[in-house]
Structure formats: structure tokens, C-alpha cells
Amino acid sequence: MAKKAEQRRKQILKAAFQAATEKGYESVTLQDIADYADVSKGVTNYYFKNKSDVFTQLFEWITTRIYEKEAASISEQETAIGKLEAYIDRVFISPEENKNFYRVYLDFLSQVKNNVSYKEINQKFYENCWSIGREIIHQGLEEEIFEVDDVEQTAISIRCMIDGSLIQWLMRDDDQLHDYYRTACYESILKILKYKK
Amino acid sequence: MAKKAEQRRKQILKAAFQAATEKGYESVTLQDIADYADVSKGVTNYYFKNKSDVFTQLFEWITTRIYEKEAASISEQETAIGKLEAYIDRVFISPEENKNFYRVYLDFLSQVKNNVSYKEINQKFYENCWSIGREIIHQGLEEEIFEVDDVEQTAISIRCMIDGSLIQWLMRDDDQLHDYYRTACYESILKILKYKK
DNA sequence: CAATTTATTTTGACCAGTCAGTATAAAAGA
DNA sequence: TCTTTTATACTGACTGGTCAAAATAAATTG
């Protein structure tokens, strides 16, 4: 029974995600979600406390998923450079694949200031991101190819660079620029790490 | 008379801005705007075609204002380092002063994908930002303290770093971190510029 | 096994409230 | 007086959330 409920919950979250990608966070209605999930309107209220509850859980799901994919990508690599490359490639995954994820994530970001839960979820996401940065830095220090004096600050800066590049890429929304921003981001991070090849 | 009209327009835009900072972009109503401007609802509809028109003009006003303040800050400085410092200081201006500007800007960013006008306005803003970056880079190259091979790409990366740092700072929303992010951003950009002191 | 009861899930009509936009009235200014 | 500007009233569309009733599934009993 709990299995069925969990399945329904996921189904509704996916519908909410799809609705959000196509209509934008704020303008999504409970009816939209129900339509995308192919159920009637009441179901959403049966499985979720209210609309806000749906979106809170969706935000958590999205940030967790982004992190897990990133973490999985770097763990497949042995070297610092390999990890960093895998990381950036995952962030700038081919147009359309993860683009929607980051678009909806940006939607949520703009809501963080109005919602304490969102802020906490995002804080957790940041901490996950920083841990990825630390892992890459430590590996690079071990290999003696990076020169970093403040590991924590550098890990934070890496994510700043990634988010900044990602957003600028998303905003310009030109598939031609995909490679450009991925490369620019990657090379900037190498400089921040004072990479000596 | 045209002067009076222009004044009213600005008054309404300011009211819309204030409403947006306090209630968030999407949930602002025409009534809110009228209330903040201390006029009746009819006035807004008299001076603007519709709600979307108000926000489009507000977005243009905000991005222009952010750019102008940044440009003014760096033009007061002679040296590359002076310009860069002034630039970053302007971006990370004391909590509350320009914070609201960037918050509302972020609100607009999340709407760019649904609105062609927003996209164009933001594209123009980016170009202005990049021109600031170029100016600093050129100055630093003249002084022979930076080492940059692709000026354009580096100018873009500088703004990525700024936006990324800014957003992370805004999201964490802890006044204690103000200095931290300003410094981290500044130092990262120096590394991207391969600054040799 | 079949009949019946109970529990769970789903439906869609409905309500009270909000909104953008319009229409109209009032006021101010030329 | 006539035009411009501001205030108020109204409308029609849409929203989130509620709820009683229907449908379905599970459990119980004879």
C-alpha cells in the first residue's frame, strides 16, 4: 500500500516538474499538475498537504537529483583533472537533457527569499556541491598539480563559477554557446586552482 | 506636462519595484503597485498598457541602473586593480543597499525563459557587464600585471564569477558572509586574470 | 468460495476569494 | 467648455482548497 502511495507521489511530482518547465513555477495550478499526471484535481490534495507542499518536495527532489548525478560522474574518475572534467561535463550536459532541471532550479532560487524551507533545501544542496569541490581539490593537491591555500574558499568559488556560467548560458539560450561556456567555465576553474600541467 | 507624466511613470515603477522586493515578482498585483505608489488602480492602467508592460520597463530600469552604478564606480579609478576593487565593492555593496536590486533582478532572470523582451533586456545588460570586464582587462594588460590570452572569454568569465558569487551570497542571506563572498570573488577573479603583483 | 462489510482512493462539482482589465464617474486643468 | 488625469465600481475568468459521493480494493465472515 505504501508502495502504491509512493508511486503516486512520484507521479505527481513529475507532473509538477513538467508543468513547471513549461509554464514556470508560479503560474502552475493544481489543475495543471493534475492534468499532467492524468488524474483528477482531488488526488493532489489527497497526497500532498497543499500546493506549497508539492513544490517543497519537488525542490528537494531536484536538488538531490542534480547532486547525485554530479557525484556519480566524478566518482567514476581517478585523477583530479578527470574528476573536474567529468563534473563540468555533467553540469553542462547536452542542451535539453538537464537544461530543464536547472531552469526549474533557478525558478526555485528566486523563491528562496520568500520560503524558509527552500532556503534550507538549497543550503543542503550547496554543502553537497562544496563537498564535490573539496574532493577534486584534495585529489589535485595529492597529485601536486594544484596550488590552493584555502580549500574551503576555493571549493565555494568553484561552485560560484559553475552556477554563474550555467546561468549565463541558460539565459542566453543559444545551443551554439554550449561548448563555449563549458570550456570557459572549465578553464577559469583551472586558473582558480592554479593548475600547473 | 510630459515631465509630469514621466514623473508618474517613475513613481509607479518605483512602487512596482518596492512591491516586488517585498512580495516577490509573481505575486505582485496591480493593486499592490497602486498602493505603494499611493495612487488608485486606474492610474497604473493609464500610464502602462498592462501589468506585463510595467514589469518589462522595471526590468529595463533595474538592469540599466545596476550597470550605470557599476560603470560609474570603476570610472573613478585609474589603475586596473583599483577598478576591479571598485567593481566588486559595488556589486557586493553593503547588505540591504543594493541587495534588493539583485533580488528583484534574480526574480526577473527566472522569467527570462518565458518572455522574449526580458531576454533581450538581459542580453543588453550582459553586454554592458562584459564591456566593464574588458575595460579592466585592457587596463591590466597595459600595466602588464595580468596575463590573459582571450580577452572576450575572460570578460565573460569575470561576470560569471560575479553573478555566481552574488547569487550564492544572496541565497545564504547571512550578513556575516558579506565580506567573505566579496573577498572570495575578488581573489578568484585575480587568479583568472593571472595577476602578478 | 462467495457474499458482505470495511477501508482506501479517486472524482469533480462547488465555494469563497483574488485578479487583470474595463467602464464609468469625478475632478482638475487649460 | 473640452481635454486630461485620477478615483471608483464592476465584470468575467480563474484559483486553491473542500467535500460528499462514487469507485475500487481489501478484509471478514458464513
Side-chain angles (χ1 to χ4, degrees):
Chain A
M1 283 319 89
K3 187 150 258 167
K4 174 84 179 295
E6 185 55 27
Q7 201 177 330
R8 263 273 185 272
R9 225 180 52 88
K10 268 280 161 60
Q11 178 190 8
I12 291 166
L13 284 184
K14 276 183 184 172
F17 171 69
Q18 203 181 339
T21 59
E22 293 185 19
K23 308 203 165 196
Y25 174 82
E26 274 278 8
S27 59
V28 171
T29 69
L30 289 174
Q31 190 61 61
D32 289 332
I33 298 174
D35 290 347
Y36 277 105
D38 247 323
V39 293
S40 80
K41 208 186 139 198
V43 175
T44 306
N45 281 81
Y46 183 77
Y47 288 97
F48 295 86
K49 223 170 59 226
N50 49 35
K51 190 183 168 182
S52 155
D53 187 31
V54 177
F55 280 107
T56 302
Q57 295 195 35
L58 177 60
F59 189 31
E60 196 149 22
W61 184 56
I62 285 180
T63 52
T64 307
R65 193 175 143 154
I66 290 177
Y67 165 66
E68 281 172 355
K69 292 223 166 194
E70 289 174 354
S73 291
I74 69 155
S75 73
E76 288 170 3
Q77 300 291 323
E78 295 288 330
T79 67
I81 293 296
K83 282 175 191 285
L84 182 60
E85 256 179 4
Y87 189 23
I88 305 301
D89 281 354
R90 167 58 58 183
V91 170
F92 288 91
I93 202 146
S94 72
E96 297 318 319
E97 188 153 348
N98 266 26
K99 221 173 185 178
N100 285 338
F101 265 84
Y102 288 109
R103 271 202 221 277
V104 177
Y105 172 63
L106 186 60
D107 258 349
F108 278 113
L109 273 193
S110 73
Q111 302 296 322
V112 162
K113 68 167 180 298
N114 310 312
N115 189 316
V116 181
S117 304
Y118 287 8
K119 189 180 163 181
E120 286 165 6
I121 293 168
N122 196 53
Q123 178 69 27
K124 200 166 175 178
F125 176 62
Y126 277 157
E127 271 151 22
N128 282 331
C129 292
W130 300 331
S131 77
I132 291 179
R134 277 193 301 269
E135 182 180 333
I136 294 171
I137 294 169
H138 282 137
Q139 178 65 34
L141 290 176
E142 229 166 77
E143 296 174 18
E144 295 182 342
I145 55 169
F146 296 159
E147 192 187 323
V148 172
D149 45 85
D150 188 335
V151 174
E152 195 58 32
Q153 181 178 305
T154 307
I156 286 175
S157 289
I158 286 174
R159 192 64 203 188
C160 289
M161 190 69 217
I162 288 174
D163 284 340
S165 304
L166 195 53
I167 286 169
Q168 206 173 109
W169 172 56
L170 283 176
M171 290 305 110
R172 297 184 71 184
D173 192 27
D174 178 347
D175 288 349
Q176 300 264 305
L177 293 168
H178 171 256
D179 265 351
Y180 187 84
Y181 273 91
R182 194 193 51 199
T183 306
C185 179
Y186 175 67
E187 290 178 358
S188 295
I189 291 173
L190 281 185
K191 285 172 190 158
I192 289 170
L193 293 167
K194 288 191 178 167
Y195 170 61
K196 32 195 179 195
K197 65 159 185 294
Chain B
M1 284 319 87
K3 189 150 257 167
K4 173 85 178 295
E6 185 55 26
Q7 202 177 329
R8 263 272 187 274
R9 225 179 53 88
K10 270 279 164 63
Q11 179 190 7
I12 291 167
L13 284 184
K14 276 183 185 172
F17 171 68
Q18 204 181 338
T21 60
E22 294 185 19
K23 310 203 163 196
Y25 174 83
E26 273 279 9
S27 59
V28 171
T29 68
L30 287 176
Q31 190 62 60
D32 290 331
I33 297 173
D35 289 348
Y36 277 106
D38 246 325
V39 294
S40 78
K41 212 184 135 192
V43 177
T44 307
N45 278 324
Y46 182 75
Y47 287 99
F48 294 88
K49 223 169 61 224
N50 51 37
K51 191 183 171 182
S52 156
D53 187 29
V54 177
F55 280 107
T56 303
Q57 295 195 34
L58 177 61
F59 189 31
E60 196 149 21
W61 184 57
I62 285 181
T63 52
T64 307
R65 193 175 142 152
I66 291 177
Y67 164 67
E68 280 171 357
K69 293 224 167 195
E70 289 174 355
S73 291
I74 69 155
S75 73
E76 287 169 3
Q77 301 291 323
E78 295 289 330
T79 67
I81 293 297
K83 282 174 190 286
L84 181 61
E85 257 177 4
Y87 188 23
I88 305 302
D89 282 354
R90 167 58 58 184
V91 170
F92 287 91
I93 203 146
S94 71
E96 296 321 318
E97 188 153 347
N98 266 26
K99 219 173 187 179
N100 285 338
F101 265 84
Y102 289 108
R103 271 202 221 279
V104 177
Y105 172 62
L106 186 62
D107 260 348
F108 278 112
L109 273 193
S110 74
Q111 301 297 323
V112 162
K113 69 167 180 297
N114 310 312
N115 187 317
V116 181
S117 303
Y118 288 8
K119 190 179 164 184
E120 286 166 6
I121 293 167
N122 195 53
Q123 178 69 27
K124 200 166 175 178
F125 175 62
Y126 277 157
E127 271 152 23
N128 282 330
C129 294
W130 299 331
S131 77
I132 291 179
R134 277 194 300 268
E135 183 181 332
I136 294 172
I137 294 168
H138 282 136
Q139 179 64 35
L141 290 177
E142 230 166 76
E143 295 174 19
E144 295 182 343
I145 55 171
F146 295 160
E147 194 187 321
V148 173
D149 45 82
D150 187 335
V151 175
E152 196 57 33
Q153 181 178 305
T154 307
I156 286 175
S157 289
I158 286 175
R159 191 66 204 186
C160 290
M161 191 68 216
I162 288 174
D163 285 339
S165 304
L166 195 54
I167 286 170
Q168 207 174 106
W169 172 55
L170 284 175
M171 289 307 108
R172 297 183 70 185
D173 193 27
D174 178 345
D175 288 350
Q176 301 263 307
L177 293 168
H178 171 254
D179 266 350
Y180 187 84
Y181 273 93
R182 195 193 48 199
T183 307
C185 179
Y186 176 66
E187 290 178 359
S188 295
I189 290 174
L190 282 185
K191 284 172 191 156
I192 289 171
L193 294 167
K194 289 192 177 164
Y195 170 61
K196 28 194 181 193
K197 62 158 186 293

